[in-house]
């Protein structure tokens, strides 16, 4: 063998023996904060030879989730990562996904992530856990993994073990598409950002005074007329049933449940303008493009009203695989309580007849709540306690902490401030289990962050009002209260600013957060 050949072999031999870079997984900024993290102070490198291997018995259950991950990675790495089966030996340098019910602490959404120098193993009891674990892997990879164009490596992951599962089973956000209408593309974008922080519910507010946004084939004028405008007099819009099904499908692929809301008996002017018979005087109202609340009501004494509700709920239930239908019930100021209570009681029966569970804003607790009805606390803890006394679970959406349409401070040009300003720290520093006397953790289904759209007109404005507060709410819903400290969180959030920026998110740069200008060394 010639001397040049020997030198070449020696050179590549040195490269092959290059030790992994020391990295500390405890220094990584993961949101929501995992339940436990153990470091082993080395690294795994993803290369062009890396594959996603799935345990053979789980391949059909996890193939689409594996492909979702491969597609995400390809955008920035350029790697054509294969998703393939494995019979127990995934080989070195790969990702390995498997399902196992041995660890009961993981529940339906938890996961265990074990990263060694040779393998990234992600295990869970259910496929949702695998999906959530993928989001953690994304956050462990360099920020440039979120780029839409191919970037240079190396692509390193710190080694260690993460054992993680959520504190609450319901972790959601609400998007108001009534005051201003948002396209399917905008809704999908919001779903993707929610999924990144392990949220699992999107509540769509589909009807209000200013617009009706879902096609109901038995009452077509709801969208033809009622969906034709919005706040300020814009053209409005609505989702066809096929478009709504596409939103449901897209969300389900990201383990997010869609909960549709048809608000009633108040917040109904769009319906009242579309069908005269829903008004007590038999006269259709005018379309409304303002922002006042509490002036409209269905005629609760007419039988046609309940036929209308049954038809609407029936069509919506058939389109919605999730367990819930939201019936609103808030701010029905012109509906006397003597009429409101029997209306809510009857509507609960209608929803249940279509195989769904009822969610309603906290005012519905004045009625006689049926089994499995859920009360959403937004304004009055007294109402939520009435629900608890009737055996109802509670979703916490306190306006003072969780409303994403509240302004950050007096300089915020978007949003409202009728409950005051909600800075990033205030949105984070609260504990659902101790927020209101008489509502303990065992009574709480979870938390939800509503984004009302009186002043919100496009996806950039949605992002600005939602982020970074929604990330903090996601951590409240997922991470144990004992692990949540503002001084720790604000540093992790500051590092996430680079990720949000890379993903093109138009977020609020609070002066309370130390925003990183470059990626911290692990």
């Amino acid at each position: 063998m010639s001397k040049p050949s020997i030198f070449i072999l020696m050179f590549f031999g040195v490269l092959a023996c290059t030790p992994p870079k020391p990295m500390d997984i405890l220094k990584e900024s993961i949101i929501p904060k995992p339940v436990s993290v153990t470091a082993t102070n080395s690294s795994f490198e993803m290369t062009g030879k890396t594959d996603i291997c799935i345990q053979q018995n789980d391949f059909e259950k996890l193939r689409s989730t594996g492909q979702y991950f491969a597609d995400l990675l390809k955008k920035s790495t350029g790697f054509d990562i294969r998703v393939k089966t494995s019979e127990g030996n995934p080989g070195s340098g790969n990702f390995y996904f498997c399902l196992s019910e041995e660890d009961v602490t993981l529940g339906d959404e938890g996961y265990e992530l074990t990263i060694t120098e040779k393998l990234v193993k992600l295990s869970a009891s259910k496929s949702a856990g695998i999906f959530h674990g993928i989001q953690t892997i994304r956050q462990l990879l360099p920020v440039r993994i979120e780029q839409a164009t191919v970037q240079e490596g190396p692509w390193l992951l710190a080694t260690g073990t993460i054992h993680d599962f959520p504190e609450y089973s319901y972790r959601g956000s609400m998007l108001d598409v009534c005051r201003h209408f948002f396209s399917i593309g905008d809704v999908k974008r919001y779903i993707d950002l929610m999924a990144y922080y392990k949220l699992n519910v999107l509540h769509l507010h589909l009807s209000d005074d200013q617009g009706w946004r879902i096609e109901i084939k038995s009452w077509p004028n709801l969208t033809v007329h009622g969906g034709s405008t919005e706040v300020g007099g814009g053209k409005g819009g609505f989702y066809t049933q096929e478009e709504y099904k596409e939103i449901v499908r897209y969300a389900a692929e990201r383990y997010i449940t869609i909960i549709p809301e048809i608000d009633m008996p108040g917040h109904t002017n769009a319906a009242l303008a579309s069908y005269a018979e829903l008004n007590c005087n038999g006269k259709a109202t005018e379309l409304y493009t303002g922002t006042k609340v509490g002036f409209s009501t269905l005629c609760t004494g007419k039988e046609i009203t309940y036929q209308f509700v049954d038809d609407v709920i029936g069509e919506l239930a058939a389109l919605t695989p999730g367990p819930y239908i939201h019936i609103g019930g808030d701010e029905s100021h012109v509906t006397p309580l003597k009429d409101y209570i029997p209306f809510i009681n009857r509507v609960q029966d209608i929803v249940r007849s279509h195989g769904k569970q009822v969610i309603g804003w906290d005012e519905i607790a004045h009625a006689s709540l049926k089994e499995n009805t859920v009360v959403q606390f937004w304004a009055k803890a007294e109402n939520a306690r009435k629900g608890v006394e009737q055996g109802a679970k509670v979703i916490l959406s306190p306006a003072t902490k969780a409303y994403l349409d509240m302004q950050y401070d007096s300089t915020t040009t978007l949003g409202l401030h009728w409950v005051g300003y909600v800075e990033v720290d205030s949105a984070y520093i609260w504990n659902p289990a101790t927020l209101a006397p008489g509502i303990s953790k065992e009574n709480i289904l979870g938390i939800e962050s509503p984004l009302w759209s009186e002043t919100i007109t496009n996806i950039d404005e949605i992002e600005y009002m939602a982020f970074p507060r929604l990330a903090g709410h996601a951590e409240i819903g997922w991470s144990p209260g004992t692990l949540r400290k503002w001084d720790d969180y604000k540093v992790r959030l500051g590092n996430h600013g680079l990720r949000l920026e890379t993903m093109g998110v138009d977020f609020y740069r609070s002066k309370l957060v130390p925003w990183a200008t470059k990626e911290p060394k692990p």
Side-chain angles (χ1 to χ4, degrees), residues 360-405:
W361 300 107
D362 60 50
E363 290 94 324
I364 71 164
H366 290 294
S368 300
L369 301 183
K370 307 291 183 178
E371 184 180 2
N372 294 324
T373 290
V374 177
V375 172
Q376 187 164 1
F377 166 35
W378 72 280
K380 292 186 177 181
E382 176 188 353
N383 289 340
R385 281 192 291 270
K386 286 181 180 178
V388 169
E389 290 167 3
Q390 296 188 62
K393 292 288 187 180
V394 177
I395 297 168
L396 292 186
S397 300
T400 55
K401 295 290 186 180
Y403 268 34
L404 298 174
D405 57 307

Side-chain angles (χ1 to χ4, degrees), residues 72-78 143-152 155 502:
L72 280 173
L73 297 175
K74 185 175 183 179
K75 291 178 183 178
S76 54
T77 66
V143 169
R144 60 188 182 278
I145 199 68
E146 303 300 340
Q147 290 279 7
T149 56
V150 175
Q151 308 292 307
E152 291 187 6
W155 301 101
T502 302

